[in-house]
């Protein structure tokens, strides 16, 4: 900060806005914050200066300066109400988050702020910063540390009955358990979030997040129709708010359509009024997968996976479901190809399906073990031998049914005779 301060007045703020370049504006705003005056008007102007300064630093991608600003403002925080302090702190943390590649810096900043809030006994702010820290740790795949932090935070917030924060934390816990592949706990945490949300007014963005997480969990259980309805609700909420998550909700809606073999509906959804707003790589990727599924073409499927690697394979939710879809498509294609044969070379099947021999051989052996068809692999000559489906003899089940019926008749006669004798 500069040693010569500017008075905290509207003229100083106007001077910063009229500056020729951002660096000059930032310098002026720092000098405004140096004003030792603590009158109510000066404090109000300083709050405005902090907001403008954090916006300028974010635009200039000066994340380190934003972190230092929080430290420099600590004496100022003792002069203003705690609610305003919380608003400023969270605003600056949000500004740092908007600068790309600052995950580690955000974690360090949140940890530093948690220590300060503990020392200052600012419980309300500390709980929110800890929730933010848990989310950052989860994004950095520091799952055990995030879970430990959330477990203690949930107990504390439940005791205070802060419903809005409780919704945030339960939702975060559900995402964390889902990342750890613990579906029962993920569902339990989501139910807790819904219960808390039903008791209060939840902002549309938060409700959309709950619906999005519900859809993800239902899709994981292969209940794609219910998942689709949740993704649709999330899409409507995010679309109304122009939230960037809307495109992901739409993408997962299309995924559900593909998974229930309604790939023909995908083009219609994309060309609808709402879908046209989000045309781009995400939707193009799903359209390519839908086309491959409609044509039952493994080659087109693999081309889609290669061309849209970032949208398909690097999205963990889509990747998980497309892996099972790929397996299903491969099995259907192999069954169709081997159907006319009783004995066929594996190399010939691999040539027809345009896949490596070892990949086809591995899949065929898996299908035999899963009893998808009756056969065996003769690896000595590289052949697949297909057996005819053994026809079950109907006489045995019929005999067992007759014996069962005779047993019932004898039991009934025994009961009647016992009544007569009595």
């Amino acid at each position: 900060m500069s040693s010569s301060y500017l008075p905290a007045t509207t003229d100083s703020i106007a001077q910063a806005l009229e500056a020729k370049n951002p660096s000059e504006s930032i310098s002026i705003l720092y000098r405004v914050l140096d004003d030792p005056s603590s009158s109510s008007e000066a404090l109000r102007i300083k709050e405005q200066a902090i907001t403008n300064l954090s916006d300028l630093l974010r635009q200039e991608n000066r994340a380190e300066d934003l972190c230092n600003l929080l430290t420099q403002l600590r004496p100022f925080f003792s002069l203003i109400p705690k609610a305003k302090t919380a608003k400023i702190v969270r605003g600056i943390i949000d500004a740092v988050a908007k600068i790309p590649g600052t995950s580690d810096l955000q974690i360090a900043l949140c940890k530093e702020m948690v220590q300060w809030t503990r020392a200052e006994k600012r419980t309300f702010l500390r709980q929110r910063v800890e929730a933010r820290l848990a989310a950052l740790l989860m994004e950095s795949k520091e799952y055990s540390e995030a879970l430990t932090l959330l477990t203690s935070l949930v107990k504390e917030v439940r005791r205070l009955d802060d419903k809005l924060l409780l919704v945030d934390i339960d939702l975060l816990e559900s995402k964390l358990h889902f990342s750890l592949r613990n579906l029962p706990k993920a569902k339990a945490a989501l139910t807790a979030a819904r219960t808390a949300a039903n008791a209060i007014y939840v902002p549309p963005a938060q409700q959309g997040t709950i619906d999005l997480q519900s859809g993800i969990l239902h899709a994981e259980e292969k209940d794609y129709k219910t998942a689709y309805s949740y993704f649709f609700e999330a899409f409507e909420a995010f679309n109304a708010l122009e939230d960037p998550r809307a495109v992901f909700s739409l993408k997962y809606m299309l995924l559900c359509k593909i998974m229930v073999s309604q790939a023909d509906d995908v083009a219609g959804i994309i060309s609808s009024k709402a879908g046209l707003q989000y045309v781009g790589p995400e939707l193009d990727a799903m359209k390519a997968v839908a086309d491959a599924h409609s044509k039952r073409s493994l080659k087109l499927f693999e081309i889609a996976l290669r061309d849209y690697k970032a949208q398909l394979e690097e999205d963990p939710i889509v990747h998980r479901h497309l892996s099972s879809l790929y397996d299903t498509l491969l099995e259907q294609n192999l069954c169709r190809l081997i159907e006319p044969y009783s004995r066929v070379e594996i190399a010939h099947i691999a040539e027809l399906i345009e896949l490596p021999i070892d990949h086809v051989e591995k899949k065929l052996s898996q299908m035999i073990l899963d009893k998808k068809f009756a056969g065996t692999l003769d690896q000595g000559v590289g052949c697949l031998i297909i057996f005819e489906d053994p026809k079950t003899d109907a006489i045995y089940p019929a005999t067992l049914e007759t014996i069962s019926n005779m047993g019932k008749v004898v039991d009934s006669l025994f009961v009647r005779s016992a009544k007569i004798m009595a």
Side-chain angles (χ1 to χ4, degrees):
M1 289 190 185
S2 174
S3 56
S4 59
Y5 68 85
L6 281 175
T9 61
T10 49
D11 290 340
S12 299
I13 298 292
Q15 187 183 339
L17 292 171
E18 290 165 7
K20 293 176 184 177
N21 55 58
S23 298
E24 193 180 333
S25 296
I26 289 166
S27 176
I28 292 167
L29 291 169
Y30 269 128
R31 289 169 65 194
V32 170
L33 294 178
D34 274 346
D35 184 358
S37 173
S38 57
S39 66
S40 59
E41 179 63 18
L43 293 177
R44 187 183 65 79
I45 296 296
K46 284 183 184 180
E47 284 172 35
Q48 180 63 45
I50 291 165
T51 305
N52 293 357
L53 182 57
S54 59
D55 285 344
L56 283 167
L57 290 172
R58 177 182 58 78
Q59 288 164 20
E60 294 291 299
N61 288 342
R62 289 164 63 173
E64 288 285 354
D65 288 346
L66 278 166
C67 295
N68 293 334
L69 178 63
L70 264 183
T71 308
Q72 291 160 358
L73 288 173
R74 285 177 188 177
F76 173 72
F77 291 149
S78 61
L79 302 173
I80 61 173
K82 287 185 176 180
K84 284 189 177 178
T85 301
K87 184 182 176 184
I88 291 169
V89 170
R90 289 163 70 188
I92 293 175
I93 291 172
D94 287 342
V96 176
K98 288 174 184 173
I99 300 172
T102 57
S103 297
D104 293 339
L105 188 64
Q106 286 177 65
I107 291 170
L109 177 61
C110 287
K111 285 180 177 177
E112 186 186 327
M113 289 311 297
V114 166
Q115 288 175 356
W116 178 75
T117 50
R118 279 189 194 281
E120 294 284 316
K121 294 185 171 58
R122 294 175 184 255
T123 308
F124 176 86
L125 177 57
R126 175 179 57 77
Q127 289 169 347
R128 277 149 184 79
V129 175
E130 281 186 335
R132 183 62 169 268
L133 176 58
L136 288 167
L137 289 168
M138 188 182 79
E139 285 173 18
S140 302
K141 295 186 168 54
E142 300 282 346
Y143 297 127
S144 57
E145 193 178 343
L147 194 57
T148 307
L149 182 60
L150 276 180
T151 306
S152 61
L153 193 57
V154 165
K155 289 176 185 173
E156 191 181 340
V157 175
R158 283 221 172 97
R159 199 163 56 246
L160 294 171
D161 202 34
D162 185 343
K163 288 276 195 288
L164 194 58
L165 181 57
L166 196 57
V167 172
D168 278 339
I169 295 168
D170 283 331
L171 199 51
L172 192 56
E173 193 181 3
S174 176
K175 291 176 182 176
L176 182 57
H177 284 304
F178 177 74
S179 300
L180 293 168
R181 315 297 307 127
N182 190 337
L183 276 185
K185 283 194 175 181
K187 286 172 71 180
L190 183 63
T191 304
R194 282 191 172 282
T195 306
N198 287 338
I200 54 164
Y201 168 74
V202 178
Q206 187 73 309
Q207 187 59 52
T209 310
I210 292 171
D211 289 332
L212 185 62
Q213 182 66 8
S214 300
I216 289 168
L217 292 182
H218 277 284
E220 191 64 24
E221 294 181 320
K222 312 292 184 196
D223 184 1
Y224 293 111
K225 287 188 177 178
T226 310
Y228 179 86
S229 62
Y230 277 120
F231 287 138
F232 182 73
E233 292 289 336
F235 172 70
E236 287 203 316
F238 293 143
N239 185 39
L241 296 166
E242 296 183 356
D243 191 304
R245 287 176 291 177
V247 71
F248 294 104
S249 304
L250 184 56
K251 180 181 175 182
Y252 299 150
M253 281 166 59
L254 301 179
L255 175 68
C256 291
K257 283 289 184 186
I258 294 167
M259 296 306 291
V260 293
S261 300
Q262 293 178 0
D264 296 339
D265 295 350
V266 168
I269 295 169
I270 292 173
S271 59
S272 66
K273 185 182 176 183
L276 286 170
Q277 298 176 43
Y278 300 98
V279 170
E282 301 289 347
L283 300 194
D284 290 345
M286 298 315 294
K287 191 171 187 297
V289 171
D291 288 343
H293 185 270
S294 298
K295 294 171 183 174
R296 300 197 179 280
S297 168
L298 277 172
K299 192 173 182 182
L300 287 175
F301 197 95
E302 290 193 330
I303 290 169
L305 288 176
R306 188 179 65 245
D307 291 350
Y308 299 100
K309 188 176 181 181
Q311 290 76 24
L312 300 175
E313 292 199 0
E314 290 174 18
D315 184 328
I317 294 157
V318 172
H319 178 62
R320 193 174 294 121
H321 295 291
L322 289 187
S323 296
S324 66
L325 184 66
Y326 179 79
D327 282 345
T328 307
L329 264 180
L330 182 55
E331 285 176 9
Q332 287 174 350
N333 275 266
L334 285 172
C335 285
R336 182 169 54 81
L337 288 172
I338 64 175
E339 194 176 0
Y341 303 103
S342 59
R343 182 185 179 94
V344 61
E345 287 185 356
I346 298 168
H348 179 61
I349 297 292
E351 189 183 330
L352 289 174
I353 208 166
E354 297 179 344
L355 286 173
I357 295 175
D358 57 340
H359 185 52
V360 172
E361 189 176 324
K362 186 179 176 184
K363 190 62 190 174
L364 287 170
S365 63
Q366 187 186 328
M367 288 170 70
I368 292 168
L369 290 171
D370 291 343
K371 295 184 166 53
K372 297 287 169 73
F373 67 90
T376 186
L377 287 168
D378 187 343
Q379 288 180 310
V381 290
C383 279
L384 169 69
I385 301 163
I386 300 107
F387 306 138
E388 285 187 20
D389 291 332
K391 293 178 182 176
T392 53
D393 199 333
I395 194 165
Y396 296 112
T399 306
L400 286 170
E401 191 180 351
T402 304
I403 292 168
S404 174
N405 289 336
M406 288 287 287
K408 288 176 185 175
V409 171
V410 171
D411 289 342
S412 174
L413 289 170
F414 177 79
V415 171
R416 288 188 182 184
S417 64
K419 284 180 181 177
I420 292 167
M421 292 294 288

